[in-house]
Amino acid sequence: MRANTWAGRNKVEVRDVPDPKILNKRDAIVRITSTAICGSDLHLVDGYVPTMQDGDIMGHEFMGEVIEVGPGVDPGRLRVGDRVVVPFPIACGACAACAAELYSCCENSNPNTGIAEKMFGHPTAGIFGYSHLTGGFAGGQAQYARVPFADIGPLKIESDLTDEQVLFLSDILPTGYMGAEMCDIQSSDVVAVWGAGPVGQFAMDSARVLGAAKVIAIDKEPYRLRMAEQAGHIPVNFDEVDVRSRLLELTGGRGPDKCIDAVGLEATHGSAHIAAYDRIKQAVRSETERPHALRQAIMSCRSGGVVSVIGVYGGLLDKFPAGAWMNRSLTLRTGQCHVQRYMKPLLRRIERGELDPTRIITHTLPLDEAERGFDMFKNKQDDCEKVVLKP
């Protein structure tokens, strides 16, 4: 089959690779009809997430048709011929974390627990196409994928919704929604979202759906800010204004009630010398993160507010504003998304027209052009917001 693979830092390559096979009795094989390039894939390509190996199949946002199931898959849950969206965390459905619906913390799905424990203290769940730190599972930017614990994860799509309407239930729509949900939004709340990429756009939409009075989009790319503004959100360009000062103006001097970091470890900053400080430290591996968005969110949030972190962080960062966090009674909430918890409720919101995931798609390419898609997305060429790949 054809698959998009990691080929070293700053390089991906579509190659011929062996077809996946059933390895465990609860596996399924899915013929992929749509997959996507995620912002967190760029952290792998840029070399900031360790344990990637040449030839690893990329991608964790995918859907398709079940063509084979293992003998242990419950036929009441999944059958050959089912059209499914596959969540990016691999979860067993039986451990304490899964029982608490903390699916991205599954205790049984990551075979490389020793590596993860050294990095994080405890292992995370297995994740498709996201390094050997999270299990080394082949990803979904391919023609076919093996799906472990297939009777727990995949969501059957039994309506005539298009792939484009439901594909992002695999990751970025639930991730954005969880970011907003963790804010405990009240009807009077002003919510500020750092990052107007795909996850940030969905966090903004979710904050609106959950009842926020005002949603503010913070980014520097004009096309991303236009997209947010067209969806009814207030744009703030951090290359043009001081973010904290502008947020104080928009909130009567109090700061946003709730702040969402949808950027993560490769943030940029409007001040050249501040941006250079973290970029140099990251380049020489004195830290793994550039946490500008997280710092700004903590310093900008009103006292007693909530900072929700859904942008990916992978290791260690410098100058975390612990004093502001502790002394101003801020609540910090975070986590890789527990996708399985949100898939069905968000599918119903899509069916009711409350959310339109297709609004962020700017480019659709064949799988064989994945390298071009990564280049456009990483370098923000041609106003590229989201790339969908068709195997």
Side-chain angles (χ1 to χ4, degrees):
M1 70 172 183
R2 300 287 283 169
N4 185 44
T5 64
W6 191 84
R9 190 176 177 194
N10 296 319
K11 186 177 181 182
V12 298
E13 184 178 325
V14 179
R15 301 171 176 170
D16 291 313
V17 301
D19 290 354
K21 297 179 180 179
I22 297 288
L23 299 180
N24 299 299
K25 63 181 182 179
R26 291 173 65 192
D27 288 351
I29 304 298
V30 173
R31 179 182 64 82
I32 296 169
T33 56
S34 295
T35 182
I37 299 172
C38 181
S40 55
D41 290 332
L42 299 182
H43 305 323
L44 305 177
V45 174
D46 292 345
Y48 296 124
V49 177
T51 72
M52 288 296 290
Q53 298 177 11
D54 187 23
D56 284 349
I57 299 174
M58 305 268 303
H60 54 269
E61 299 177 347
F62 62 98
M63 65 175 294
E65 179 188 355
V66 177
I67 62 168
E68 186 179 358
V69 295
V73 173
D74 182 352
R77 291 177 176 266
L78 196 72
R79 295 175 180 270
V80 170
D82 284 344
R83 181 179 177 226
V84 295
V85 179
V86 180
F88 81 82
I90 301 168
C92 73
C95 67
C98 289
E101 294 190 310
L102 301 174
Y103 296 103
S104 71
C105 299
C106 176
E107 298 165 351
N108 293 323
S109 63
N110 186 348
N112 295 337
T113 56
I115 301 174
E117 285 172 355
K118 290 177 182 177
M119 193 72 180
F120 301 136
H122 294 273
T124 65
I127 295 176
F128 290 103
Y130 212 75
S131 87
H132 294 263
L133 192 66
T134 60
F137 292 95
Q141 290 170 6
Q143 291 178 306
Y144 300 92
R146 179 178 74 93
V147 179
F149 300 112
D151 49 358
I152 296 299
L155 173 69
K156 288 194 287 187
I157 303 299
E158 298 175 297
S159 65
D160 59 356
L161 293 172
T162 65
D163 277 17
E164 287 73 14
Q165 288 176 288
V166 297
L167 171 61
F168 303 136
L169 289 168
S170 59
D171 174 7
I172 56 173
L173 181 56
T175 296
Y177 187 88
M178 186 173 111
E181 185 186 70
M182 288 191 295
C183 289
D184 292 335
I185 292 171
Q186 307 300 309
S187 59
S188 61
D189 281 348
V190 176
V191 179
V193 180
W194 274 257
V199 170
Q201 299 282 348
F202 286 152
M204 297 171 212
D205 292 352
S206 299
R208 182 198 67 233
V209 164
L210 291 173
K214 187 186 298 183
V215 181
I216 301 168
I218 303 163
D219 206 292
K220 69 167 185 173
E221 301 299 332
Y223 72 91
R224 289 181 164 189
L225 292 171
R226 282 196 303 272
M227 182 177 284
E229 190 171 23
Q230 288 166 2
H233 313 307
I234 301 168
V236 171
N237 188 324
F238 66 74
D239 264 356
E240 298 176 353
V241 298
D242 177 76
V243 171
R244 182 175 173 276
S245 298
R246 180 62 179 142
L247 291 176
L248 290 174
E249 291 173 4
L250 291 169
T251 59
R254 296 178 68 242
D257 302 282
K258 312 291 165 61
C259 295
I260 300 174
D261 171 6
V263 181
L265 66 89
E266 291 190 75
T268 56
H269 195 280
S271 172
H273 69 279
I274 295 175
Y277 171 85
D278 279 293
R279 183 169 288 278
I280 292 168
K281 289 202 70 175
Q282 190 183 52
V284 300
R285 299 302 189 262
S286 293
E287 63 177 348
T288 56
E289 335 287 280
R290 300 196 303 264
H292 302 300
L294 179 58
R295 292 180 190 135
Q296 262 187 5
I298 290 172
M299 297 302 290
S300 301
C301 192
R302 73 155 169 84
S303 296
V306 175
V307 176
S308 170
V309 183
I310 50 175
V312 171
Y313 289 88
L316 304 170
L317 55 83
D318 189 15
K319 291 181 170 52
F320 177 82
W325 170 42
M326 183 269 169
N327 286 291
R328 295 198 296 109
S329 301
L330 298 177
T331 298
L332 186 64
R333 291 178 178 152
T334 187
Q336 287 279 11
C337 185
H338 311 298
V339 175
Q340 289 88 333
R341 183 199 300 177
Y342 298 103
M343 295 177 86
K344 287 183 179 178
L346 288 174
L347 177 60
R348 290 193 289 269
R349 287 189 182 274
I350 294 169
E351 290 172 337
R352 293 195 297 264
E354 296 173 15
L355 293 166
D356 176 19
T358 65
R359 78 173 186 84
I360 68 164
I361 300 171
T362 53
H363 295 77
T364 301
L365 301 173
L367 177 65
D368 278 338
E369 294 185 26
E371 186 174 356
R372 182 165 76 92
F374 267 83
D375 188 55
M376 280 196 304
F377 186 43
K378 176 180 177 177
N379 296 303
K380 301 177 176 64
Q381 299 168 350
D382 194 31
D383 290 356
C384 182
E385 179 78 359
K386 188 67 176 180
V387 179
V388 172
L389 300 173
K390 295 289 186 177

